[in-house]
Amino acid sequence: MTDTGKTEPQPRKGIYLLPNLLTTGGLFSGFYAIISSMNGHFEAAAIAIFVAMIFDGLDGRVARLTNTQSEFGAQYDSMADMLSFGMAPAMVMYNWALSDTGKFGWLAAFLFVACAALRLARFNANLSVTDGRFFQGLASPAAAALIAGLVWTGAYYQLDGNDFGYLLGILTIMAGLLMVSNFRYHSFKDVNWRDKVSFVTILLVVLIFVVIAARPAEMLLLIFLLYACSGPVTTIRSVNKLKLEHVVGDVTPADFEEPKAKANQDAPAEQAEQEQK
C-alpha cells in the first residue's frame, strides 16, 4: 500500500532581502571609497568608509529584529567587512600618504589588510566563547574609522599626506596590530537601550551630535583615537599583572577576570587554610 498522507512542505530556499541589501550597501560604500581615493577624492573616500560603518551596524540589528538571520548573511557580512574595513582604508591611506614611501608604504597597507582578515577570522571562530561585553582586539570598523578619520582631517585641511608618509605608515601599522592584539575593548552590547534615562542625558546626547556635526572630521578622529587607546588601559586595569598573553597570543576570557573578583574568589580559600592551621 502506498502512503497517501500529506507530506510536510519543505522550507523554501532563498536569501533574505532586507539585511543583505544593507550589507550590499556597506560593500558598495567600501568599493566607492577605493575608487574615490584612486581619483584623488579623499574626503569622499573617507566619508564612504563611515557610511559603510552605518550599514554594517544596521544589517545585523535589522536581521535580528525581523528574525531573518541566516548563515549566508553572516558569511556575506564578513566578506563585505573585509573589503569595507580592510581593503578600503588601506587603499585610501596608501593613495593619500603612502605611495611615495616605496616598499614601506605598500607593506604597511598590506599589514593592515592582513590584520583585518585575521581579526575577522578570529572573531568568527571565537564568537561562541568570547565575553560579549568586550571585543578581543580593536574591531575592524573602529580601526577603519581611525584611518578614515586621519585621511578626512588631513584632506579637509588640504594637507599633503605624502609629507607625513612614514608617520602615517607607522600609525597604519599600529592600527592593524591593535586589531590582532588581545587588548579588551568595550563592545557596549551590555547597554540597555530600552531603559529610561534622565532629561539631562538626552540633552547631553543632543549636544554631542551638535558638536560632531559642526566638526565631523576632527571629532570622529578624536573619538576613535580615544577608543583605540582605551583598549590597553582597560586591559591593564582588569588584570592583576600584565603578561604577554594579555597583549598577544592565545587567551581565554577567564584570564581577564577582574582583580576584585579574583580577590573575592581567593578569600574563602585563604580563610579555610587559616582555619585548618
Side-chain angles (χ1 to χ4, degrees):
M1 295 179 63
T2 58
D3 187 7
T4 58
K6 294 183 179 180
T7 59
E8 295 182 359
Q10 296 293 327
R12 188 178 62 176
K13 295 182 179 180
I15 299 172
Y16 293 112
L17 177 61
L18 184 56
N20 291 294
L21 188 63
L22 294 171
T23 303
T24 303
L27 182 65
F28 175 81
S29 298
F31 182 77
Y32 178 81
I34 296 175
I35 299 300
S36 295
S37 69
M38 294 171 64
N39 293 324
H41 303 147
F42 297 110
E43 279 195 68
I47 293 172
I49 292 176
F50 283 105
V51 173
M53 289 182 61
I54 296 175
F55 280 115
D56 181 64
L58 288 175
D59 58 3
R61 286 169 175 79
V62 169
R64 288 188 292 271
L65 287 173
T66 58
N67 196 25
T68 53
Q69 305 100 314
S70 66
E71 183 62 25
F72 174 87
Q75 298 300 325
Y76 184 35
D77 182 64
S78 292
M79 297 300 103
D81 288 352
M82 181 59 212
L83 186 139
S84 299
F85 308 129
M87 284 294 301
M91 289 299 299
V92 171
M93 177 59 79
Y94 178 81
N95 290 327
W96 181 60
L98 304 180
S99 58
D100 287 350
T101 59
K103 185 181 294 185
F104 171 79
W106 67 260
L107 284 175
F110 170 74
L111 181 63
F112 184 91
V113 174
C115 289
L118 292 170
R119 170 68 175 79
L120 289 168
R122 184 176 67 177
F123 177 80
N124 292 335
N126 297 337
L127 189 60
S128 60
V129 298
T130 54
D131 187 349
R133 299 172 302 166
F134 298 95
F135 291 127
Q136 184 182 2
L138 182 63
S140 56
L146 180 60
I147 299 298
L150 286 168
V151 175
W152 190 359
T153 303
Y156 177 79
Y157 287 103
Q158 298 181 351
L159 300 177
D160 187 353
N162 292 305
D163 295 338
F164 311 94
Y166 286 99
L167 175 61
L168 292 170
I170 293 172
L171 291 176
T172 302
I173 292 173
M174 291 178 62
L177 294 178
L178 284 175
M179 282 192 284
V180 295
S181 70
N182 288 333
F183 290 134
R184 306 179 81 196
Y185 287 89
H186 284 282
S187 64
F188 302 106
K189 293 181 180 180
D190 56 343
V191 177
N192 187 2
W193 300 103
R194 298 180 180 180
D195 197 9
K196 292 182 179 180
V197 296
S198 64
F199 178 80
V200 176
T201 303
I202 296 297
L203 181 60
L204 289 175
V205 172
V206 172
L207 291 176
I208 290 172
F209 276 109
V210 169
V211 173
I212 294 176
R215 305 297 291 269
E218 300 93 321
M219 292 306 302
L220 288 173
L221 172 60
L222 179 62
I223 289 172
F224 285 101
L225 181 61
L226 292 174
Y227 182 70
C229 295
S230 69
V233 175
T234 302
T235 302
I236 293 172
R237 293 181 59 187
S238 62
V239 296
N240 288 322
K241 183 179 180 181
L242 187 66
K243 301 178 182 179
L244 180 62
E245 56 264 29
H246 296 144
V247 179
V248 67
D250 296 329
V251 69
T252 60
D255 295 328
F256 284 108
E257 284 187 286
E258 299 291 338
K260 292 182 179 179
K262 283 188 174 182
N264 293 334
Q265 292 175 0
D266 294 339
E270 292 177 357
Q271 185 177 359
E273 289 179 1
Q274 290 178 359
E275 291 178 354
Q276 290 176 358
K277 292 180 180 179

